[in-house]
Amino acid sequence: QVQLVESGGGLVQPGGSLRLSCAASENIFNFNSMGWYRQAPGKQRELVASINVGGRTNHADSGKGRFTISRDNAKNTVWLQMNSLSPEDTAVYYCNAQILWVNYWGQGTQVTVSS
């Protein structure tokens, strides 16, 4: 069973930065893609950014220019660097990994942007 463990969430002031990490229990080359999603209270879960096995990235419009997804294959880890955070970024952030048609999810990490 694939396990994804997120860390790095917390409380940050508007304009601040956070770096989320997602550690996978197995070689991330096994995954077609990995990504970050978020879910704010009362809203649907939405894609933030993804990176495929070849390293190609996709960033949602909400985070373009502010968020960057990256991976370290040797550490089986994916990061999400978030800069210029605003209160609208407040949500639970989930790590996702896809193998063919199967999705795996982490437990989520809370990000709160507030002064």
Side-chain angles (χ1 to χ4, degrees):
Q1 180 70 16
V2 174
Q3 293 187 337
L4 305 171
V5 179
E6 303 106 331
S7 61
L11 174 65
V12 63
Q13 292 186 341
S17 299
L18 282 175
R19 189 191 195 201
L20 306 183
S21 66
C22 172
S25 60
E26 61 182 74
N27 193 326
I28 62 176
F29 273 121
N30 294 335
F31 307 136
N32 300 112
S33 69
M34 296 188 71
W36 288 95
Y37 288 71
R38 68 185 183 185
Q39 187 166 18
K43 295 187 177 181
Q44 290 188 331
R45 191 172 297 189
E46 62 177 5
L47 174 69
V48 177
S50 64
I51 184 167
N52 70 10
V53 66
R56 183 171 183 172
T57 62
N58 175 42
H59 294 81
D61 289 343
S62 59
K64 279 185 179 178
R66 302 186 300 127
F67 296 176
T68 303
I69 190 170
S70 61
R71 60 194 284 166
D72 185 328
N73 298 326
K75 296 182 179 180
N76 294 325
T77 299
V78 173
W79 288 282
L80 182 68
Q81 177 67 44
M82 303 188 294
N83 300 326
S84 302
L85 286 162
S86 71
E88 290 71 33
D89 297 313
T90 295
V92 178
Y93 284 70
Y94 295 91
C95 181
N96 168 268
Q98 295 180 355
I99 302 176
L100 297 179
W101 58 89
V102 180
N103 281 284
Y104 299 92
W105 297 93
Q107 81 285 355
T109 186
Q110 177 69 46
V111 171
T112 302
V113 185
S114 176
S115 56

